[in-house]
Amino acid sequence: EAQVTQNPRYLITVTGKKLTVTCSQNMNHEYMSWYRQDPGLGLRQIYYSMNVEVTDKGDVPEGYKVSRKEKRNFPLILESPSPNQTSLYFCASSLSTPWREQYFGPGTRLTVT
Amino acid sequence: GENVEQHPSTLSVQEGDSAVIKCTYSDSASNYFPWYKQELGKRPQLIIDIRSNVGEKKDQRIAVTLNKTAKHFSLHITETQPEDSAVYFCAASSPNTGFQKLVFGTGTRLLVSP
């Protein structure tokens, strides 16, 4: 079954404690992206990747890091989380540009206290 | 960079009525316009998309129209059903804003009453 998976699905953490949210896809997609969703703001792109070792900033990259060492995985790293990073995070992958047939993961709800 | 505005923020219709959601974009180079549906507690799912070389696209009860001159595009849902109730997001992608970044509108909550 074609899918995008994320872990964990729910996470409560404290300010400053480094965390990683994993994302994996089994569709051999080259393009992957991370979004955050906040009420009234829609979905905002954090980082995206066009292929292994190729990443670029989206609209809200501050406070986040990503890596793409393998085609299937695209982890999101928060090295020093802050309360304003409390949000619902989605990973997504796409067959091709410009983001056609984009599939989203189930989401990770992060709370930073 | 690209900016996408979406209206209305909420839309209530009776079952069987039509619903129209409108989006405007700022970057004239934008060339891809998808629409996503997000049911409560679920992930966004692509429902229809259109490229800049096409003016209209239909898929059963849903259609998208694009006016490049005015820089706006719309989602049309006919014969609405309660299961159409969800939040709908438009988005635009432009090659000018880095490598095909995708910018979303703020969403429209559609409520279809039986």
Side-chain angles (χ1 to χ4, degrees):
Chain A
E1 178 190 356
Q3 59 183 347
V4 179
T5 57
Q6 293 177 229
N7 282 291
R9 296 288 314 281
Y10 302 91
L11 179 59
I12 300 174
T13 190
V14 296
T15 299
K17 186 176 181 180
K18 181 179 179 179
L19 67 92
T20 299
V21 183
T22 64
C23 173
S24 183
Q25 51 94 3
N26 64 359
M27 295 168 280
N28 202 37
H29 286 173
E30 289 189 352
Y31 301 92
M32 298 186 74
S33 184
W34 275 103
Y35 299 91
R36 61 178 290 174
Q37 184 174 24
D38 302 289
L41 297 178
L43 289 148
R44 293 180 293 168
Q45 198 170 38
I46 304 171
Y47 269 95
Y48 56 96
S49 171
M50 294 75 80
N51 210 330
V52 174
E53 302 291 5
V54 183
T55 63
D56 202 357
K57 297 177 180 178
D59 285 327
V60 288
E62 294 77 20
Y64 304 95
K65 285 177 59 177
V66 293
S67 68
R68 188 93 181 272
K69 295 186 180 350
E70 304 167 284
K71 196 172 186 179
R72 63 183 291 126
N73 297 323
F74 189 44
L76 179 70
I77 303 157
L78 285 72
E79 298 222 327
S80 184
S82 61
N84 64 11
Q85 293 179 298
T86 292
S87 187
L88 177 59
Y89 291 87
F90 287 101
C91 178
S93 72
S94 176
L95 181 63
S96 65
T97 57
W99 303 107
R100 297 184 66 188
E101 299 289 339
Q102 184 169 216
Y103 292 89
F104 282 79
T108 295
R109 186 164 293 282
L110 172 66
T111 301
V112 183
T113 61
Chain B
E2 176 68 282
N3 182 51
V4 177
E5 294 189 359
Q6 183 171 348
H7 299 281
S9 57
T10 58
L11 179 59
S12 294
V13 300
Q14 293 289 322
E15 183 177 0
D17 289 349
S18 294
V20 180
I21 302 170
K22 300 180 179 180
C23 289
T24 60
Y25 60 98
S26 60
D27 189 343
S28 56
S30 288
N31 56 10
Y32 175 66
F33 308 91
W35 285 89
Y36 290 85
K37 175 183 180 182
Q38 186 178 28
E39 297 176 353
L40 190 62
K42 301 283 184 66
R43 71 193 78 185
Q45 289 191 299
L46 179 72
I47 55 171
I48 195 167
D49 58 7
I50 192 168
R51 304 198 71 164
S52 58
N53 58 351
V54 176
E56 182 176 1
K57 184 176 179 180
K58 293 181 72 173
D59 183 3
Q60 299 183 354
R61 294 187 298 108
I62 60 173
V64 56
T65 58
L66 171 65
N67 183 326
K68 289 173 57 180
T69 302
K71 290 190 285 187
H72 69 69
F73 56 112
S74 300
L75 178 71
H76 304 254
I77 306 174
T78 59
E79 300 174 24
T80 54
Q81 302 168 2
E83 51 264 39
D84 293 329
S85 296
V87 178
Y88 291 81
F89 292 98
C90 63
S93 182
S94 167
N96 280 354
T97 55
F99 188 80
Q100 293 288 170
K101 279 195 281 190
L102 190 62
V103 178
F104 283 79
T106 52
T108 296
R109 184 174 300 279
L110 174 64
L111 176 63
V112 181
S113 302

